[in-house]
Amino acid sequence: MSLLVQKFGGTSVADADRIRAVADHIERNLRAGDQVVAVVSAMGKTTDQLVRLADDVSSTQPRREVDMLLSAGERITMALLCMALADLGIAATSFTGSQAGIITDGAHTRAKIVEIKADRLRATLESGGVPVVAGFQGMSTDRDVTTLGRGGSDTTAVALAAALDADSCEIYTDVTGVFSTDPRIVPEARKLPRVSYEEMLEVAATGGRGLALRSVEFARNHHVPLHVRSSFTWEPGTLIVEEETIMEQAVVTAITHDESEAKVTVLGVPDQPGLAARLFRGLADRGISVDMIVQNTSTTGTTDISFTVPGDDLAASADVAESLVPSMGATGVETDDDVARVSLVGAGMKTHPGVTALTFETLANEGINIGMISTSPIRISCVVRSADAERAVRALHAAFELA
Ligand code: ADP
Ligand code: ASP
Ligand code: MG
C-alpha cells in the first residue's frame, strides 16, 4: 500500500467531465490498495478571471482581500471533486488550506509555508477516507487566509507529501511530463523520463512551466519523489530524482524561455565603489528579485548598469532607480519591457565545453542579437528581443538535437 499525494492542475479539473474523470482515477488507485490525498487547483482559468475581476473593481486591491478572493477558486474545485467521489461511494472530505493545517507567514499573495499540522488529514486517511485539499492557500500565523503565489498548488502538494511522508507526489497536468522545451512552441519536443532536482530548479526558475519553482525547492530539500504526468492519458510521465541516480547526463536537457522579464539600465553611473550596492540595496528593500546584471567597463569614468527583473516589478524598479539617480550622480534610467530570456539547462554542461559557443553560433546564424548573458554551472541564459524568443528556442532545440 502506497500513500500518494495527487495534485490536479487547472486544466485537469476544468469542467464537470474532467472532475468526474479525476474521481474515477482516484477510485482506481483506491481499488489498487493505495491511499490518496488529492490537491486541487481552481477550475480552468478561474484564477485569471478572478485577477481580472479585481482589476476591474479596484486600483488599490488590499492584498489581504486579493488572497480572500483568489483562494475562492480552489474551494469550488475541492467541493465538486468530493461530490463526484461521493457518487462513486467514496468518503471524501474537502479541506481549505487552513483546515488542512497549512500555516504560512503573513506575506499576502506570496506567502511561504512555515508549518503543516496534518492531523486532520491523517485522521481522514486512517478512517479510510480521501482528503481533498484546496491548493495554493494557507492560513497565516495571524489567522488570515493567504495564497502561495501563482502555480502554488504544486507547492501545497509537495509540502503535504513531505508532511505525510508520502511515497510519491504526482503532479497531474495537460501534458505527459516535462519536455525538452515547451511542446506548444516545438511540437517535436521530447518527453524526459528523468530530470534531476537541480535541473528542474533551473527549468522552473527560467520560465519553463510544469512545476512552480517553490515546489521544486521544497521537493529537493525534503527529498520528495515527484512525478509529473498527464490527467488526460494517465500514462507514466517524468520523474524528478536525485542527480546521482541518472546514469547518462545529457549535455543539454531542456530549453526554456521567459517573456515576462524586463530590463532596466541606469546610465552614466560614476565608476566608484558603493554605487551598485546602493542601487541593489534599494531594489532588495522593495522586495524586488533581480535576475541578470551587466555592468560595462568604463573608459570615461562612468558606466551603465543594466539588470533584469520580473515584468511585474518593472515600474517599482524604475522608481527605485530614478530616485537614486541624483545621489548616485548617474545621468538617467532607461527601461525595456520588450525583452525575453532564453535558457539552456543541462547537468552535462559541467563536463562538456563548447555549449556556449554552439549557443552563440546558433543565435548568430538566426540573426538574433544577444543583449545580456548569464550562466550557472548547469545553465546558460541569453536576453534577446521578445519577438526573437520563440525562434531562438526552435533554433537551439534543433542545434542541440533535442527532438
Ligand atoms: P497546470 O494548470 O496543470 O498547473 P501549467 O500550465 O502550470 O499546468 O503547466 C503545464 C503547461 O506547461 C503545459 O501545458 C505546457 O505547455 C507548459 N510547458 C512549458 N514548458 C514546458 C516543458 N518544458 N515541459 C512540459 N510542459 C511545459
Ligand atoms: N490556481 C492558482 C493559479 O492559477 C494556483 C495553481 O493552479 O497552482 O496560479
Ligand atoms: Mg501549474
Side-chain angles (χ1 to χ4, degrees):
M1 184 181 77
S2 301
L3 172 58
L4 308 174
V5 172
Q6 302 188 324
K7 177 258 173 177
F8 301 94
T11 44
S12 305
V13 291
D15 56 33
D17 285 342
R18 301 297 319 147
I19 290 175
R20 279 196 298 266
V22 165
D24 287 341
H25 177 69
I26 292 174
E27 189 204 22
R28 280 197 295 279
N29 284 278
L30 297 178
R31 249 192 285 127
D34 292 328
Q35 288 182 308
V36 176
V37 175
V39 174
V40 292
S41 286
M43 294 169 67
K45 299 256 172 264
T46 301
T47 309
D48 292 333
Q49 284 161 7
L50 294 173
V51 168
R52 269 199 301 277
L53 204 51
D55 289 343
D56 288 347
V57 166
S58 162
S59 56
T60 47
Q61 300 189 14
R63 298 212 295 172
R64 179 185 183 280
E65 306 311 325
V66 172
D67 276 352
M68 231 22 155
L69 177 71
L70 297 191
S71 63
E74 271 70 11
R75 292 178 72 137
I76 295 173
T77 321
M78 70 177 191
L80 292 172
L81 179 57
C82 283
M83 292 179 195
L85 287 164
D87 279 12
L88 301 174
I90 294 164
T93 313
S94 63
F95 295 93
T96 63
S98 145
Q99 290 173 315
I102 297 171
I103 315 295
T104 72
D105 62 17
H108 283 293
T109 73
R110 50 174 167 207
K112 284 205 170 76
I113 297 174
V114 294
E115 192 189 350
I116 296 190
K117 296 179 179 158
D119 34 299
R120 283 191 79 180
L121 303 185
R122 276 194 207 95
T124 304
L125 286 169
E126 272 156 28
S127 70
V130 174
V132 177
V133 180
F136 172 57
Q137 55 183 269
M139 185 181 68
S140 71
T141 41
D142 295 336
R143 297 212 222 158
D144 274 325
V145 173
T146 52
T147 63
L148 307 177
R150 296 305 304 270
S153 297
D154 295 337
T155 311
T156 304
V158 173
L160 287 179
L164 296 167
D165 199 19
D167 297 287
S168 178
C169 181
E170 302 181 332
I171 306 288
Y172 287 91
T173 184
D174 57 351
V175 286
T176 54
V178 179
F179 280 71
S180 53
T181 195
D182 189 342
R184 279 188 280 212
I185 293 178
V186 182
E188 320 73 78
R190 197 167 51 87
K191 182 171 94 180
L192 305 166
R194 284 161 175 266
V195 179
S196 69
Y197 290 110
E198 280 67 28
E199 289 174 316
M200 198 60 220
L201 273 176
E202 296 278 13
V203 167
T206 56
R209 287 194 304 154
L211 282 175
L213 177 59
R214 195 83 74 64
S215 73
V216 187
E217 281 171 351
F218 209 104
R220 182 195 52 180
N221 295 345
H222 296 84
H223 306 282
V224 177
L226 276 180
H227 186 179
V228 180
R229 53 192 302 191
S230 163
S231 69
F232 289 76
T233 67
W234 308 105
E235 70 197 91
T238 301
L239 298 174
I240 318 293
V241 296
E242 310 285 346
E243 185 174 322
E244 306 75 65
T245 66
I246 301 180
M247 302 296 281
E248 190 72 14
Q249 290 289 356
V251 179
V252 174
T253 301
I255 296 177
T256 61
H257 77 296
D258 186 354
E259 299 196 20
S260 67
E261 290 274 290
K263 179 173 151 187
V264 180
T265 303
V266 185
L267 301 161
V269 181
D271 200 4
Q272 290 164 14
L275 295 186
R278 206 180 300 171
L279 173 63
F280 291 104
R281 166 53 59 201
L283 293 162
D285 287 348
R286 288 280 289 270
I288 297 166
S289 311
V290 174
D291 179 39
M292 294 190 197
I293 302 171
V294 170
Q295 177 174 342
N296 302 324
T297 52
S298 79
T299 45
T300 55
T302 66
T303 170
D304 297 342
I305 301 178
S306 294
F307 55 93
T308 62
V309 292
D312 289 345
D313 289 334
L314 178 59
S317 306
D319 260 10
V320 170
E322 263 151 24
S323 72
L324 291 171
V325 158
S327 69
M328 290 171 73
T331 53
V333 175
E334 266 175 11
T335 61
D336 184 351
D337 204 5
D338 232 7
V339 296
R341 177 180 46 174
V342 175
S343 307
L344 296 87
V345 176
M349 272 183 211
K350 281 185 278 199
T351 47
H352 284 78
V355 179
T356 317
L358 182 54
T359 301
F360 296 169
E361 284 158 9
T362 306
L363 296 178
N365 288 341
E366 289 287 320
I368 294 172
N369 190 49
I370 304 173
M372 294 166 95
I373 300 157
S374 79
T375 60
S376 86
I378 63 168
R379 174 183 53 78
I380 299 171
S381 295
C382 301
V383 169
V384 300
R385 307 305 310 160
S386 289
D388 292 335
E390 293 195 2
R391 201 154 46 88
V393 169
R394 280 190 213 102
L396 291 167
H397 196 268
F400 285 94
E401 299 176 353
L402 300 185

